[in-house]
Amino acid sequence: MRIMIIHGPNLNLLGRRDATQYGTLTLDKVNRAIRKQARELQVEARILQTNHEGTIIDTLHRRRKWADGFLVNPGALTHYSYAIRDAIDAIGKPVVEVHLSNIYEREDFRRISVIEPVCLHQVVGKKVESYLEGLAFLVQYLQQNER
Ligand code: DQA
């Protein structure tokens, strides 16, 4: 089973961003935790971080045949990128949306996720655990729903 993980804008700066929202881990450490869990779940994981909306869309397109599912944290693009929403809708692959912070308990503009309606599942507010829980959910879904 193959999972593509996409971190969006500004997540490369984890560790220096607001620790109360995002935790203290750097992106490297988050990725280490994801890779460890992927090994335990016996799935192949590829991880990309990009600050560019178009690269997220290109990755969803290009990896749609390789990946059985996607785990995506689109950062602030979550709240307004209809282009990412359309890409998720178009590829026909399960996508789990994750956020380190609880977007529903922050500023008004963060309370809307335009991708949530086209995602399989959403995990928010658990810091690095959001990724781990999201990955476990996706893998279980794929196992139950034969690829
Ligand atoms: C985030 C939440 C977004 O609102 C914010 O812009 C981010 C990170 C999160 O993981 O909590 O960059 O996606």
Side-chain angles (χ1 to χ4, degrees), residues 9 17 22 73 75-76 79 99-101 103 106 110:
R17 294 185 72 186
Y22 304 122
N73 180 353
H79 314 300
H99 298 284
L100 296 148
S101 66
I103 58 172
R106 300 185 62 192
R110 294 188 206 272

